[in-house]
């Protein structure tokens, strides 16, 4: 269950958000001022923080500054209407997003979902993980797994797959792939890219029923996120 910390001194609002989030299946913790919020943040681990800016004891911007010294946890600011300076300061201070009071709960829930997804991809980035569908590539250990099962690739196959994953959703021309994977002084067959894409497909797609690498006719190849 994902854990969300609400730091908000307006108790009725905090209670309302708490009930809605619990209804959505989140585990919720509340703090009524900046100091208590920071203490909770330091004492436990959360997946996302909702942070009011105008707080007693320690204001939200200062709380945010201290959180950012320790963590890149997603933080959504709750700001008063028209407090433009607060929003700018907050985003400069490393907040991921803000929502202006009063807000529709559906909007807050949507932003929380976005924030939590960002958190997962941040963790993957920190762990050197690239993924597509059921495939996960670890750039550090140079391992590729599909459904958790290790797949042996040659150096060139790995490099090609990694480059396509790093440039997900961007169609890569054959010449670009040749330059990047085989080097500028490459003088072999220009169809090497096609040959290696075939190798990758035979190792990664056919055995696992995946369709990862798409051919863009006359141009090159792309790995897209699933729609
Ligand atoms: Ca407040």
């Amino acid at each position: 269950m994902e854990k969300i910390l609400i730091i908000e001194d307006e108790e009725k609002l905090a209670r309302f958000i708490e009930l809605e989030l619990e209804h959505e299946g989140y585990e919720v913790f509340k703090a009524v001022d900046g100091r208590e919020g920071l203490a909770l943040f330091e004492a436990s681990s959360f997946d996302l923080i909702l942070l009011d800016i105008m707080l007693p004891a320690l204001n939200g911007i200062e709380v945010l500054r201290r959180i950012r010294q320790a963590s890149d946890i997603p933080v959504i600011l709750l700001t008063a209407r028209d407090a433009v300076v607060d929003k700018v300061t907050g985003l400069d201070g490393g907040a991921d997003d803000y929502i202006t009071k009063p807000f529709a709960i559906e909007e807050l829930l949507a932003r929380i979902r976005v924030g939590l997804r960002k958190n997962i991809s941040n963790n993957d980035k920190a762990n050197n993980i690239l993924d597509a569908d059921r495939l996960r590539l670890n750039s550090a250990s140079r391992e590729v797994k599909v459904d958790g099962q290790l797949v042996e690739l040659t150096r060139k196959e790995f490099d090609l797959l990694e480059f396509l994953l790093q440039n997900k959703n961007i169609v890569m021309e054959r010449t670009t792939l040749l330059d990047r994977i085989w080097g500028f002084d490459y003088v072999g067959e220009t169809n090497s890219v096609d040959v290696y894409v075939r190798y990758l497909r035979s190792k990664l797609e056919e055995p696992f029923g995946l369709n990862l690498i798409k051919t863009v006719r006359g141009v090159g190849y792309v790995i897209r996120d699933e729609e």
Side-chain angles (χ1 to χ4, degrees):
M1 198 186 286
E2 285 161 314
K3 289 166 73 175
I4 297 180
L5 173 61
I6 305 172
I7 309 176
E8 166 64 80
D9 61 315
E10 289 167 56
E11 287 187 31
K12 274 167 98 174
L13 177 62
R15 178 72 184 139
F16 169 68
I17 298 173
E18 177 184 38
L19 288 173
E20 292 288 339
L21 293 183
E22 283 177 351
H23 182 72
E24 293 294 312
Y26 299 112
E27 191 176 357
V28 179
F29 298 78
K30 282 188 307 186
V32 295
D33 66 47
R35 210 170 292 284
E36 187 190 345
L38 209 52
L40 265 176
F41 163 75
E42 283 163 359
S44 186
S45 95
F46 299 96
D47 297 294
L48 184 139
I49 296 176
L50 297 177
L51 176 61
D52 184 28
I53 291 187
M54 298 286 286
L55 284 171
L58 206 58
N59 76 54
I61 298 297
E62 182 58 22
V63 173
L64 175 63
R65 198 182 66 78
R66 298 199 194 176
I67 288 171
R68 278 290 168 264
Q69 287 173 348
S71 161
D72 58 1
I73 182 172
V75 176
I76 300 176
L77 296 177
L78 309 175
T79 73
R81 193 205 300 267
D82 299 333
V84 178
V85 177
D86 284 350
K87 287 172 204 165
V88 172
T89 317
L91 292 173
D92 282 351
D96 297 88
D97 201 355
Y98 66 86
I99 188 162
T100 307
K101 298 182 211 174
F103 47 79
I105 193 69
E106 291 74 21
E107 190 184 351
L108 179 64
L109 293 174
R111 285 167 188 242
I112 287 172
R113 284 192 293 271
V114 170
L116 289 170
R117 271 206 299 277
K118 206 181 299 176
N119 198 25
I120 291 166
S121 56
N122 278 347
N123 286 342
D124 277 354
K125 210 174 287 169
N127 294 327
N128 304 296
I129 301 291
L130 298 167
D131 69 344
D133 203 331
R134 285 138 47 210
L135 177 143
R136 285 168 78 78
L137 177 148
N138 185 321
S139 298
S141 64
R142 293 184 68 86
E143 284 179 343
V144 175
K145 290 180 179 177
V146 181
D147 295 335
Q149 195 179 323
L150 198 62
V151 180
E152 296 283 345
L153 297 182
T154 66
R155 184 180 189 83
K156 280 275 182 289
E157 289 165 357
F158 182 93
D159 290 346
L160 177 59
L161 178 64
E162 184 182 38
F163 189 70
L164 287 171
L165 286 169
Q166 284 166 342
N167 294 282
K168 224 188 214 181
N169 301 314
I170 304 170
V171 178
M172 286 291 138
E173 294 188 29
R174 284 182 180 76
T175 50
T176 307
L177 293 170
L178 275 174
D179 284 349
R180 294 297 298 261
I181 310 303
W182 280 266
F184 289 98
D185 56 358
Y186 182 74
V187 288
E189 298 290 323
T190 50
N191 71 351
S192 289
V193 175
D194 305 300
V195 171
Y196 274 79
V197 166
R198 261 203 314 276
Y199 292 157
L200 284 175
R201 283 176 172 156
S202 73
K203 289 185 176 182
L204 297 169
E205 299 189 351
E206 286 149 28
F208 297 96
L210 289 177
N211 179 16
L212 294 171
I213 306 171
K214 308 278 195 294
T215 305
V216 181
R217 280 179 55 173
V219 186
Y221 297 97
V222 62
I223 293 178
R224 293 192 209 279
D225 274 318
E226 293 300 294
E227 267 87 59

